[in-house]
Amino acid sequence: MKELEIAKTEVVSLLNTLIKEYKVFAPVGQNGFITFQEIHSGSEAFLDYINSKKPPKEIFFPQSERLFSYDLSKGEGWSVEEPASEKKQRIIFGIRPCDARSLVLLDNVFDGQLYKDPYYSGKRKNTTIIAIGCNQPSSTCFCTSLGGGPFSQDGSDLILVDIGQKYIVQVVTEKGKKLAKKHNEFKEAEDNSLSLMRDTIETAEALIKSKIEVQKVTEKLDSMFDDPFWDLVSEKCLGCAVCTYLCPTCYCFDITDEVTGQRGERVRTWDSCAFPNFTLQASGVNPRPSSKERLRQRIMHKFNYFVANHGMAACVGCGRCIKECPVNLDIQVVLNSILNR
Amino acid sequence: MLNTSVAIRDIAKKLLDEKRVDLIIGFEKGSVPLRSTPCFVRSTSEADRLIWNVNCENNLAKYLPKTKERVAIVAKGCDVRSIIGLIKENQVTREQVFIIGIPCKGMIDRRKIEAKLDGKEIIEAEEKDDTIILTGNNLREIIKKEEFLHNSCKTCTHRNPVIYDVLIGDKVVEDQAVDEYREVKEFEAQSHDERWRSFSDEVSKCIRCYACRNACPFCYCQECFVDSSQPQWIGKTTNLSDTAIFHIVRAFHIAGRCVDCGSCDRACPMGIDLRRLTKKMEMDVKDLFHYEAGISLEDMPPLATFNPDDPQEFMMV
Ligand code: SF4
Ligand code: SF4
Ligand code: SF4
C-alpha cells in the first residue's frame, strides 16, 4: 500500500479516538526517564524521546505474571483458576523500531513452531504495533549491525517517519492497513513529503557509526567456549540483572508458587543468567559457578546459540545495557574484543 | 586531574616492577561520555590505561572479597572506609592491600546531567577545572561540577582517605558545615502514613535487578537471603510486599557497616533513593552506639559486640 501521512497536530486526537476502542500503550515520562504505560488521554504520550528505560517487552511478557491460582482448601473439590484472557484489542503507539524488532525475536521463543505460550501469544495476537522511526539515533545504538535500522519495519504494523510538521506512515501489514483505513486522520502522502521521508531515513542511517560484523562474532564464538578471554572480560561484572532485565530480547524466566495456607498462585517472573541460582541444580551443583560462566552464557546465547536455533542474533542493538550497566561493561566493546581475538 | 592519572600509573608500574603486588585495581576510560570503568592491571605494559577523573564513581573495594592476590587499589575517601570495614570483617587483610589513596572533591552524577538536558544527547564531555564542557547534537553547555555531584558526595564528611599506603595529591578541605542527616530528619518528621507512602512509592519502582546489592562492598554473603530457595524467604515478584522486604532487610543487614559510599544509589537503573534507608541506619548507629563505620581499624563494630550497658530502648518487648 502507498504511504500515508498524518499531521503532528492530529496525533493527540487520533490517540483519543483509539483509546475509546483499544487499550493504548505509549511512551510516558520526563527527564529522560520514559516507560511504556497505558494512556487514558492522547496528550499523555511523549513521542519526542530517545528510547524507554524499560523495554516494552513487559507488555507481552510482564516481569511478574500469574499463570493460575489454586485453592486446595475444599479437599476433593480443589479448583484451579486461570486468569481471564484480555479481550480488548491493544495498540502500542510510538515504539522504537529496535523494540518492535525484538518482538519478532521473542516470537521465535513464545509463539514459534515448537512451542506456543498462550499468555504471550494471546497478547501478541490482539496488539497492533505502531512504531516511530529514529531521526536521531543515540550514540549507543547499533541496530544496523543486527539487521535492523532506525526505520526497520520488522515487527511493526505501521511505522511513522517524522519529517517535521507531519509523519509519513508506512503501511507494513494487513493489520496496519485495516487500522489506517478506519481513521481519517491518515491521508494519502504528498509526493514532496515522500522525498523528504527518503532523505530523513538516509540521514538517520548515516548517523549510526558503529558497525560490528556480528556474523563473524557468531563464527568466532563457535570455538571460544574455553577461551581465557571470559576470565578477563567478566572480571568487573557485578552479576546484577541490569543488562538482562532492561534488554528487550532477554526472556529467561522462573516459575514459583506463592502460597498462603491452602491457596496459592503460580507465578512466572523474569530471571537472569547473571544470577547465582540461575542454573543451580537440586544437587547443589552449579555449572555456571561464577560471573565468568554467566557472562559467557549471556554472550553465547545471544550471538551463537540463538543464531543456531533461530537464524538470528538475540540482540537488536538498542544500547540499553550499555547505558545502564553500573560498571560500564559495554557489549559493543565485548563484541569488538571477540573479533580481535 | 591529569597529574593524578600520571601519578597513579607511576606508582602502579613501580609496585608491579618491584613485585609488591600482583594486581592493580583502578579505573580506565569508559566507553561513553561521563563514564570511567573498573580496570584490572597485572603488568606494567597495561598500566598506562589507568586514569583518574570525576567519573571514577564505582567503589572498587567491591572487588576485594573475591581476590586471593596481593592488590593495590585506587581508593577515594569513602572507598577507603569500605576497605577498613572489609578488613575488620576479615574479608581481606591489611597486609594484602596496598591503598593508593586519593583525596576526593566528589564524583559526578551523570543522571542528574541527563535529566537537566532532557533528552539531548552528550557526545563528548571534557573536564576543565571546576567545570565540565558538554558537547553533542545541538548542545554545547558548560556546567559546574559542584552542582551535579552524587547525593552521597554532597554530604560527605570524609573526603580524605583515613588510611593509605600512598596518598596522591594534596588533602582537600573537609566539609564541616554540612548537615549530613538533614534529609533523614525531614523524613523522620513526617507522619507514619506519609513515610510509608513515600517509602512504598520509591520501592515500587524496583525491578529487583539487585544492582544495588551487588555494587555494595558489604554484600558478599555466599548466599543472599533473596536467593535462598530452601527455605524461600521472599517471593520473586515485583509486588510491593516482596520489594519492600528486600529493601528493609538489606538496610538492616548493613546497619553499622554502611559507610554511605553511595554505590547502591549510583548502581540503581531506576533512580530509587536507596540512601533514605541506609542513611537512617547510619544515623541511628551513630546516635545509639557512638560508632561511625570505616573510620578506624581498632574499634569494634557495634553489632559484632555486646556491652551490658548497650542502649535497648528501641527493642520491642
Ligand atoms: S554486565 Fe553490567 S549490567 Fe550485566 S550483570 Fe554485569 S554488571 Fe550487571
Ligand atoms: S543485548 Fe543490549 S543492545 Fe542488544 S538488545 Fe539487549 S539491551 Fe539492547
Ligand atoms: S538497583 Fe534499583 S531496581 Fe535494582 S534491585 Fe536495587 S533498588 Fe531495585
Side-chain angles (χ1 to χ4, degrees), chain B residues 205-212 246-247 267-270 272 274:
Chain B
K205 292 186 270 181
C206 179
I207 57 169
R208 296 190 61 185
C209 65
Y210 301 138
C212 51
F246 163 53
H247 285 285
C268 177
M270 306 311 287
I272 296 170
L274 288 154

Side-chain angles (χ1 to χ4, degrees), chain A residues 19 52 62 75 89 96 120 123 160 181 186 211 310-311 334:
Chain A
I19 285 165
S52 60
Q89 291 290 310
R96 290 298 183 197
Y120 173 95
K123 298 188 195 91
L160 275 48
K181 273 199 168 154
F186 294 107
K211 288 274 172 299
H310 304 295
V334 175

Side-chain angles (χ1 to χ4, degrees), chain A residues 60 69 97 173 179 221 225 252 284 292 297 306 325 336:
Chain A
F60 303 94
S69 326
T173 64
L179 186 129
L221 286 173
F225 193 82
C252 287
K292 166 193 164 185
Q297 166 63 17
F306 201 87
C325 172
N336 282 321

Side-chain angles (χ1 to χ4, degrees), chain B residues 246-257 277-278 281 303:
Chain B
F246 163 53
H247 285 285
I248 292 167
V249 176
R250 196 185 87 82
F252 271 108
H253 199 189
I254 48 145
R257 307 164 67 215
L277 284 188
T278 54
M281 286 292 150
L303 297 176

Side-chain angles (χ1 to χ4, degrees), chain B residues 13-30:
Chain B
K13 286 179 198 163
K14 191 160 176 274
L15 290 169
L16 289 168
D17 251 347
E18 293 172 0
K19 301 212 180 332
R20 289 175 62 187
V21 300
D22 313 303
L23 166 68
I24 314 277
I25 310 181
F27 289 93
E28 66 183 318
K29 192 175 180 317

